[in-house]
């Protein structure tokens, strides 16, 4: 990738979505910030509270030395990118226009401004070690790799329609394809490896991130990745950077991962992908189970395999239907379904309910 001079070259993969050309790529935030603009005729105004929340999350992650991950940002190039030998090239003075990710990008920019101000204050007070630490945070954010999808040939009215679709129906723009393309993220590579291993065991959707009631797949690559992050690190929010596999050796990770997903066949009903009747096909339930394993390992000092076996006691006490008492914190009596199951708070509550039930079954058997 070249710098932001007369010509900026980038690498990536081109594909078609909804009949439109899309470029999947990654670039450091410092370069991206110089290349994109906000079209007020397409975008809404920034919500300061939302920007502040994301900024605080970023700063807390940096201070706690925790990695964080953002889903792909979506842009429109308005025909300002052309295909050249060895990649793609921005036309001189061209810009890309953000369609999804405005608050995340604004939060990163705000975090950078905040940290630069903090650094100056530390320097003025002679606290040079603290200033150096703050500079390290600034460097991390400037080099933060943003995964992107750039529509190459949208008209402005099509941008407005896509923006509406993203923010009302939350249609994921082929995030599964981005996961297949992404070679940087080790969790993504692990997810692909495990999914290939399970191809004969269960139906996995390789493209969608959210599965509808009509989808026969039990899970997707995107959901599996979140499960693995919860399983090994206990992280329920965003994650990036190198993985930290707690409590196991690196060469044990693929086998542990496969064992977790294979346990579903013993744990869940045969028609587990029927989301109208059962809950195992819902994102929040799957991640909560992975997080339950993470809790059990720490609470009982057991191995991953043993913690996964402990999950199986839920077969005796859970119907896996929407109205099961284990899901009372999410159950909507009017619809007869659980809802809002995939937020971090809901996942934590579900996992704690699983742990309490497992402990109860454990006490009864002793």
């Amino acid at each position: 990738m070249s710098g932001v001079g007369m010509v900026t070259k980038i690498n990536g993969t081109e594909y078609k979505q909804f009949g439109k050309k899309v470029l999947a790529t990654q670039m450091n935030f410092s370069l991206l910030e110089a290349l994109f603009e906000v079209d007020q005729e397409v975008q809404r105004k920034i919500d300061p509270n939302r920007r502040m929340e994301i900024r605080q999350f970023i700063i807390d992650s940096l201070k706690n030395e925790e990695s964080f991950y953002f889903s792909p940002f979506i842009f429109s190039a308005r025909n300002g990118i052309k295909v050249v030998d060895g990649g793609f090239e921005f036309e001189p003075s061209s810009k890309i226009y953000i369609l999804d990710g405005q608050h995340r990008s604004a939060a990163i920019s705000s975090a950078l401004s905040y940290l630069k101000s903090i650094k100056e204050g530390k320097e003025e007070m002679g606290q040079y070690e603290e200033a150096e630490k703050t500079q390290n945070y600034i460097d991390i954010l400037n080099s933060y790799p943003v995964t992107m999808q750039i529509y190459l040939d949208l008209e402005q009215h099509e941008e407005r329609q896509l923006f509406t679709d993203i923010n009302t129906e939350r249609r994921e723009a082929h995030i599964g394809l981005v996961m297949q393309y992404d070679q940087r993220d080790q969790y993504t590579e692990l997810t692909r490896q495990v999914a290939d291993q399970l191809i004969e065991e269960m139906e996995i959707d390789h493209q969608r991130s959210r599965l509808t009631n009509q989808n026969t797949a039990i899970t997707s690559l995107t959901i599996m990745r979140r499960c693995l992050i919860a399983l090994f690190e206990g992280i329920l929010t965003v994650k990036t950077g190198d993985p930290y596999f707690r409590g196991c050796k690196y060469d044990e990770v693929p086998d542990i991962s496969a064992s977790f997903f294979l346990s579903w066949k013993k744990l869940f009903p045969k028609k587990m992908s029927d989301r109208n009747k059962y809950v195992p096909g819902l994102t929040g339930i799957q991640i909560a189970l992975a997080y339950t394993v993470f809790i059990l390992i720490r609470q009982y000092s057991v191995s991953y395999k043993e913690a996964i076996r402990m999950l199986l006691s839920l077969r005796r006490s859970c119907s896996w239907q929407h109205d099961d008492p284990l899901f009372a914190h999410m159950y909507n009596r009017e619809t007869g379904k659980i809802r809002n199951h995939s937020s971090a708070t809901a996942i934590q509550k579900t996992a704690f309910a699983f742990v309490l039930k497992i402990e109860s079954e454990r006490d009864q058997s002793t």
Side-chain angles (χ1 to χ4, degrees):
M1 182 184 301
S2 67
V4 190
M6 291 295 294
V7 174
T8 303
K9 291 185 178 179
I10 55 176
N11 299 317
T13 299
E14 183 183 339
Y15 63 94
K16 277 202 171 184
Q17 180 165 276
F18 313 130
K20 296 294 183 179
K21 295 179 181 178
V22 183
L23 170 63
T25 188
Q26 290 174 343
M27 66 176 66
N28 291 345
F29 182 76
S30 59
L31 175 60
L32 172 62
E33 192 174 31
L35 291 175
F36 86 87
E37 288 188 356
V38 176
D39 186 339
Q40 299 299 338
E41 293 188 13
V42 175
Q43 282 282 357
R44 300 170 183 162
K45 291 183 179 180
I46 282 283
D47 179 345
N49 291 327
R50 188 176 174 194
R51 178 181 58 197
M52 180 180 64
E53 289 174 0
I54 301 173
R55 183 189 71 185
Q56 191 60 51
F57 163 75
I58 292 169
I59 292 171
D60 288 344
S61 297
L62 291 169
K63 290 181 177 179
N64 294 328
E65 297 184 352
E66 295 176 349
S67 300
F68 58 95
Y69 173 81
F70 287 138
S71 58
F73 291 31
I74 301 175
F75 296 88
S76 173
R78 297 185 180 177
N79 297 301
I81 296 177
K82 64 180 180 180
V83 180
V84 296
D85 290 340
F88 301 83
E89 186 176 285
F90 278 82
E91 297 283 1
S93 302
S94 64
K95 294 285 186 177
I96 53 176
Y97 297 84
I98 194 163
L99 301 180
D100 187 45
Q102 182 184 11
H103 284 89
R104 284 168 283 164
S105 63
I108 297 175
S109 295
S110 179
L112 281 166
S113 297
Y114 170 81
L115 291 169
K116 288 174 183 176
S117 175
I118 293 295
K119 181 198 171 191
E120 289 179 4
K122 298 294 183 184
E123 289 173 338
E124 290 168 2
M125 291 186 290
Q127 298 176 357
Y128 297 111
E129 286 188 9
E130 289 297 316
E132 186 177 347
K133 183 186 294 185
T134 304
Q135 181 61 51
N136 182 53
Y137 298 154
I138 293 170
D139 294 341
I140 290 173
L141 287 186
N142 276 325
S143 61
Y144 179 79
V146 179
T147 301
M148 308 161 56
Q149 296 165 297
I150 306 174
Y151 282 83
L152 301 179
D153 55 356
L154 290 184
E155 301 294 336
Q156 192 180 60
H157 73 278
E158 294 174 313
E159 293 175 0
R160 284 194 290 267
Q161 183 60 55
L162 180 57
F163 175 82
T164 300
D165 290 343
I166 290 169
N167 288 280
T168 56
E169 302 178 25
R170 296 305 306 171
R171 294 178 185 168
E172 297 292 344
H174 235 309
I175 191 171
L177 190 145
V178 173
M179 285 195 68
Q180 294 174 54
Y181 156 74
D182 193 347
Q183 302 295 320
R184 172 186 57 88
D185 182 68
Q186 292 186 51
Y187 271 113
T188 298
E189 293 188 21
L190 173 61
T191 302
R192 289 195 298 260
Q193 179 183 348
V194 174
D196 289 343
Q197 187 177 342
L198 301 178
I199 194 168
E200 300 295 332
E201 301 293 339
M202 59 179 62
E203 185 178 351
I204 300 169
D205 194 303
H206 284 63
Q207 296 185 349
R208 298 172 182 83
S209 61
R210 298 189 180 213
L211 304 182
T212 66
N213 290 344
Q214 289 70 44
N215 196 299
T216 58
I218 183 61
T219 191
S220 70
L221 291 181
T222 307
I223 299 169
M224 289 174 68
R225 181 185 182 277
R226 291 187 63 188
C227 284
L228 293 175
I229 293 170
L231 184 76
F232 290 110
E233 301 192 43
I235 296 175
L236 304 179
T237 53
V238 292
K239 156 78 183 181
T240 192
D242 294 336
Y244 175 37
F245 300 116
R246 300 172 184 266
C248 66
K249 296 178 181 177
Y250 185 81
D251 59 3
E252 297 174 328
V253 168
D255 186 45
I256 292 170
S257 303
S259 296
F260 169 70
F261 293 111
L262 285 172
S263 71
W264 296 1
K265 298 183 71 175
K266 296 179 180 178
L267 183 60
F268 295 147
K270 289 185 178 180
K271 296 184 178 180
M272 56 183 168
S273 62
D274 182 351
R275 295 172 178 81
N276 286 312
K277 185 174 182 180
Y278 298 112
V279 302
L282 303 180
T283 302
I285 301 300
Q286 296 177 9
I287 300 172
L289 274 175
Y291 188 53
T292 300
V293 173
F294 178 82
I295 295 172
L296 292 173
I297 289 169
R298 303 185 72 183
Q299 191 161 315
Y300 290 100
S301 298
V302 296
S303 67
Y304 276 94
K305 291 292 184 71
E306 179 57 30
I308 291 169
R309 281 193 288 270
M310 291 172 71
L311 291 180
L312 300 182
S313 66
L314 293 171
R315 289 180 300 185
R316 298 188 293 270
S317 53
C318 182
S319 67
W320 300 108
Q321 296 186 16
H322 290 257
D323 60 354
D324 190 281
L326 277 174
F327 313 122
H329 56 287
M330 303 181 289
Y331 184 64
N332 185 324
R333 293 185 178 277
E334 293 182 4
T335 63
K337 300 285 189 297
I338 66 172
R339 63 178 183 179
N340 301 327
H341 52 83
S342 58
S343 69
T345 301
I347 291 169
Q348 285 180 328
K349 288 182 178 180
T350 304
F352 293 150
F354 286 153
V355 170
L356 288 175
K357 183 59 69 175
I358 290 169
E359 289 176 342
S360 174
E361 294 287 331
R362 188 184 176 94
D363 292 341
Q364 292 177 18
S365 62
T366 57

